[in-house]
């Protein structure tokens, strides 16, 4: 019985990806825990980038002022949040 369940789960994790050229690429989907771990790592990278940007803006942006630094930080957060996963 467990072999039947494993085969059905195996088929659910396998996908066929057909490219525009007609090449069939067999793709196996990752487990939920693996995808969650990758998301956590990506979010940590984004937080580290924002922390480094905050330090750089606070040290190097003497003429910007508090509001200007906040605007730059919000723009960086927007770009990271919306375009990070396209890289």
């Amino acid at each position: 019985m467990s072999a039947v369940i494993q085969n059905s789960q195996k088929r659910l994790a396998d996908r066929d990806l057909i490219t525009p050229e007609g090449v069939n690429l067999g793709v196996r989907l990752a487990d939920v825990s693996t995808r969650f771990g990758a998301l956590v790592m990506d979010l940590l990278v984004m937080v580290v980038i924002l922390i480094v940007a905050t330090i750089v803006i606070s040290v190097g942006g003497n003429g910007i002022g508090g509001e200007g630094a906040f605007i730059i930080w919000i723009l960086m957060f927007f770009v990271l949040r919306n375009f990070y996963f396209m890289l």
Side-chain angles (χ1 to χ4, degrees):
M1 178 89 172
S2 65
V4 173
I5 293 173
Q6 287 177 350
N7 286 339
S8 66
Q9 288 177 347
K10 190 179 208 183
R11 279 187 263 130
L12 290 176
D14 292 338
R15 296 284 191 267
D16 289 330
L17 180 66
I18 308 295
T19 65
E21 292 81 15
V23 178
N24 186 5
L25 299 176
V27 178
R28 176 165 292 183
L29 298 179
D31 294 334
V32 174
S33 59
T34 305
R35 289 183 288 175
F36 180 73
L39 175 66
V40 168
M41 288 176 53
D42 286 337
L43 292 176
L44 284 174
V45 168
M46 290 169 55
V47 167
V48 167
I49 289 172
L50 284 174
I51 290 172
V52 169
T54 302
I55 293 171
V56 168
I57 290 171
S58 65
V59 171
N62 291 334
I64 296 175
E67 290 179 3
F70 182 71
I71 290 170
I72 292 171
W73 192 88
I74 289 293
L75 286 173
M76 286 192 63
F77 177 77
F78 174 78
V79 168
L80 274 176
R81 178 66 184 99
N82 289 304
F83 300 113
Y84 176 81
F85 295 105
M86 289 185 207
L87 295 176

